[in-house]
Amino acid sequence: VLYTDAPASAEIDELPAAFDAAVPHWRRYFALDAAKTADWQVTGALMVSAERFASAGLLPGDLPAFKNGYSRGRKLWLYEQTSPYYRRHLLLHEGVHCVMNSLLGGSGPPWYAEGMAELLATHQWENGKMTVGFLPPRREAVPGWGRVELVQLAVAAGRSKSLAEVLAYDARAHRETEPYGWSWAAATMLQRHPRYRGRFGQLRAHVRDVDFQGRFDALFAKDRRELAEEWQVMVANLEYGYDFERMAIEFADGKPLTAGKATAQVKADRGWQASGVRLEAGKSYRLRAAGRYQVAAGPKPWMSEPGGVTLRYYRGRPLGTMLFAVRPTDRKQTASALVRPLVLGLETTFKCEQTGTLYLRINDSAAELADNSGQAEVMVEER
Ligand SMILES: [Zn+2]
């Protein structure tokens, strides 16, 4: 049941239908009995004038101040928005809170409550068909949403957050908008990354546990450092349509060179790849790359060599340029070497500062790896 003082329009009139279409998805995600949601009902208020709702007895005086939306039990309130997508998004976001609080009996710590609400509210609504947990391929698919930009802008301004900082959000953090971006990013990465999604899924059964965070820590204890590093790489490369599968990193420490030489293969359609080669601090190396691979499809496929194609740039470098980084064997360092790639191109020589494994990738958007194909070969030589 939705009360509103916004003028009738097709987009407002269909909000209850959109909400109803999302409920079965949420029910499946949280593994709830169909019987539990069969006559489950939420009462909402979409408000232009809060005073009008207050005087009609539809906006309790004891609600805390909120910017966009709020929910309590099976009731929700939201302010009218200019973007039909974002209006619907907020309705679904508060709806997820209602499901968790009234049917699951809890929603875990702030990062999880808001991360799940964001994950399961980000949607596609087309011809009466609802998809939630939608990964927007581009900004135009979700006008007014802006979670990707919130993270990108924070990173550009030097306000990047570690995963630990996001997981530690307190109950007041989400009075600001930026934490919604970070919480969405955390839930989305954990939900989509091939190595983490199974474990992340287990958490949905534990939202009432006092020690929810302890459960999370135990589930991810064995590879927490890698998780923190994957997070850094994701945050630094975040784009609409980020390809979590292809950007997932198979961490593997390399072996020392035999006879001062080694070769490694680099797939064009993946993010960072371990080369299997270990480089030693204080030694100089020559790296050479060769091969021809596809860096974009389109009417005519774009081919590139490790020098890159100057017809198109990504993050200031020609598309397809071979990049490298040395990931230290000593993991005390918390900032990942993979977020500051160096240019290999066709050839480079460099002095290794810290012993570690050579990682390689080609320069391309993390959202545009699927239309790449082929591989390159990198020859490593001690000088
Ligand atoms: Zn919320």
Side-chain angles (χ1 to χ4, degrees):
V1 178
L2 186 66
Y3 294 95
T4 187
D5 58 343
S9 69
E11 279 125 347
I12 286 178
D13 294 349
E14 68 176 3
L15 284 173
F19 190 95
D20 282 351
V23 171
H25 293 286
W26 300 335
R27 177 171 62 72
R28 275 193 296 277
Y29 186 86
F30 292 112
L32 295 163
D33 287 345
K36 244 186 158 180
T37 54
D39 54 5
W40 182 74
Q41 195 165 44
V42 167
T43 304
L46 171 65
M47 309 181 292
V48 175
S49 156
E51 292 75 32
R52 204 175 283 155
F53 279 80
S55 62
L58 293 166
L59 180 65
D62 62 340
L63 293 185
F66 56 90
K67 233 182 219 174
N68 289 309
Y70 193 79
S71 71
R72 189 159 72 183
R74 286 183 295 137
K75 290 197 163 68
L76 62 84
W77 299 266
L78 49 129
Y79 288 109
E80 168 61 340
Q81 306 289 322
T82 50
S83 149
Y85 173 84
Y86 197 53
R87 179 197 294 127
R88 212 164 44 235
H89 180 92
L90 289 175
L91 176 69
L92 300 184
H93 175 111
E94 298 307 332
V96 176
H97 286 318
C98 291
V99 167
M100 294 180 81
N101 291 321
S102 76
L103 296 174
L104 292 177
S107 52
W111 76 267
Y112 187 77
E114 298 305 337
M116 291 314 299
E118 277 301 305
L119 177 67
L120 296 177
T122 304
H123 69 279
Q124 188 176 42
W125 172 240
E126 254 178 22
N127 309 318
K129 197 180 172 304
M130 177 62 76
T131 308
V132 304
F134 179 61
L135 186 69
R138 67 196 88 81
R139 181 202 311 240
E140 295 72 33
V142 285
W145 177 71
R147 302 309 187 230
V148 166
E149 288 91 337
L150 286 174
V151 172
Q152 287 173 333
L153 288 170
V155 171
R159 284 183 284 105
S160 195
K161 287 224 175 290
S162 68
L163 182 60
E165 287 173 309
V166 174
L167 301 185
Y169 274 140
D170 67 17
R172 291 159 305 169
H174 294 83
R175 287 177 194 169
E176 301 300 322
T177 311
E178 195 181 291
Y180 289 95
W182 292 111
S183 300
W184 168 79
T188 301
M189 185 178 102
L190 290 164
Q191 176 65 28
R192 288 187 171 263
H193 191 292
R195 214 162 40 240
Y196 308 132
R197 58 187 162 215
R199 282 178 272 169
F200 183 66
Q202 293 178 34
L203 290 171
R204 66 192 104 180
H206 299 291
V207 291
R208 281 183 304 175
D209 291 9
V210 195
D211 194 25
F212 179 96
Q213 202 52 42
R215 280 195 183 268
F216 178 92
D217 293 341
L219 279 170
F220 291 92
K222 64 170 184 186
D223 52 3
R224 188 67 179 260
R225 218 183 269 275
E226 285 78 7
L227 170 60
E229 192 165 357
E230 289 267 15
W231 168 263
Q232 288 182 43
V233 171
M234 185 270 290
V235 161
N237 292 282
L238 188 60
E239 299 284 357
Y240 277 94
Y242 187 96
D243 193 330
F244 288 88
E245 298 270 348
R246 290 172 195 276
M247 285 297 287
I249 306 166
E250 304 260 355
F251 293 105
D253 284 336
K255 295 197 175 69
L257 294 178
T258 44
K261 279 184 186 178
T263 57
Q265 307 297 321
V266 188
K267 294 193 179 86
D269 65 351
R270 300 283 306 192
W272 286 111
Q273 298 153 58
S275 69
V277 176
R278 175 171 145 153
L279 305 179
E280 313 278 345
K283 291 188 177 169
S284 289
Y285 296 92
R286 180 155 83 130
L287 307 174
R288 280 177 300 154
R292 205 170 143 74
Y293 38 86
Q294 181 174 313
V295 288
K300 211 176 137 200
W302 290 40
M303 301 304 288
S304 175
E305 292 182 5
V309 284
T310 51
L311 285 167
R312 197 157 124 201
Y313 278 68
Y314 179 69
R315 299 207 174 189
R317 295 180 180 125
L319 193 67
T321 306
M322 185 63 66
L323 304 175
F324 77 104
V326 181
R327 180 172 179 256
T329 312
D330 171 7
R331 309 256 199 277
K332 280 199 209 80
Q333 207 166 297
T334 50
S336 172
L338 305 180
V339 304
R340 269 175 289 277
L342 303 165
V343 174
L344 196 161
L346 289 165
E347 177 173 343
T348 191
T349 49
F350 83 109
K351 189 172 172 191
C352 183
E353 282 169 12
Q354 234 183 326
T355 298
T357 300
L358 175 68
Y359 278 71
L360 300 158
R361 68 167 297 193
I362 64 151
N363 181 43
D364 198 354
S365 160
E368 294 175 21
L369 296 171
D371 64 356
N372 295 359
S373 65
Q375 56 182 20
E377 191 171 62
V378 170
M379 280 76 64
V380 185
E381 222 179 323
E382 195 185 323
R383 303 252 303 166

